[in-house]
Amino acid sequence: MELRDKVASERRKLRQVRQALSAAVAQGAQGSATWVPFYIAVGDYFSAAMERLHTQDIRMGDLLREKADLSSESAKQAMMELDDRLTGNQKHLTAFLAGRDSLVAEGDAALDRFESAALAYTDFIVSNMGHHSGTVDIARDAFGSADWAFMALISESDVEREIVLYDNVFAAIPSNLSLALPGD
């Protein structure tokens, strides 16, 4: 599988898990302990996927600062937005993962806290993450194929781990969760 295909697959699966989480918190577990394994699986998936995404974005920023002309106001704005997204994501991810850890420790007693953190995080992701033409356009002009490969740095073990965690999410869907499954 080529790098571009690996990255596209990784991002598509991340979007599917985020959509499942958004649907779940919109519906709400309503105190049902059967949702706890699903939410923990989602948390585990996001922990790994967002660590990799954060690393990729950090690398992008570092490479841009090293290789690109960032003297224009639009480039400065794009870099500031990248830094703001990275900071905001880490803040929300930390709260979300603390919610997951509470589920692990306390079970269904932590559902409301988890769902509150998950709602805040999914709202942040929808509003702030994804494709941003500013930095991507600058990178497209400044990066060669080796830069893109370094930035993405997807090992076979990363791909295998992501597949297992993704499958765990969709294997743990509660029977009373209204959700269109991937491929439906």
Side-chain angles (χ1 to χ4, degrees), residues 29-152:
Q30 300 164 22
S32 175
T34 62
W35 287 49
V36 172
F38 169 69
Y39 280 153
I40 291 170
V42 170
D44 292 347
Y45 178 87
F46 265 90
S47 178
M50 296 310 283
E51 176 185 332
R52 288 194 19 74
L53 183 64
H54 185 73
T55 299
Q56 290 169 355
D57 286 345
I58 292 286
R59 286 181 179 148
M60 174 184 263
D62 290 347
L63 284 170
L64 287 172
R65 287 176 183 91
E66 178 186 325
K67 295 182 175 232
D69 177 5
L70 301 177
S71 61
S72 72
E73 286 305 313
S74 62
K76 290 175 186 175
Q77 180 67 31
M79 294 302 290
M80 186 172 64
E81 290 170 2
L82 174 64
D83 292 341
D84 290 347
R85 283 192 312 274
L86 289 172
T87 301
N89 182 66
Q90 289 307 106
K91 175 185 166 205
H92 287 283
L93 179 61
T94 298
F96 174 74
L97 294 178
R100 181 223 28 211
D101 294 345
S102 294
L103 286 174
V104 170
E106 302 170 37
D108 60 335
L111 279 168
D112 288 342
R113 280 178 282 144
F114 174 83
E115 288 180 335
S116 178
L119 177 61
Y121 191 35
T122 57
D123 286 349
F124 176 82
I125 290 170
V126 170
S127 298
N128 296 284
M129 303 302 279
H131 179 83
H132 292 276
S133 57
T135 50
V136 172
D137 290 346
I138 297 167
R140 192 175 295 119
D141 292 339
F143 292 176
S145 59
D147 298 319
W148 287 106
F150 169 75
M151 190 186 78

Side-chain angles (χ1 to χ4, degrees), residues 22-30 35 115 176-179:
S22 293
V25 295
Q27 181 178 329
Q30 300 164 22
W35 287 49
E115 288 180 335
N176 62 336
L177 173 56
S178 300
L179 180 67

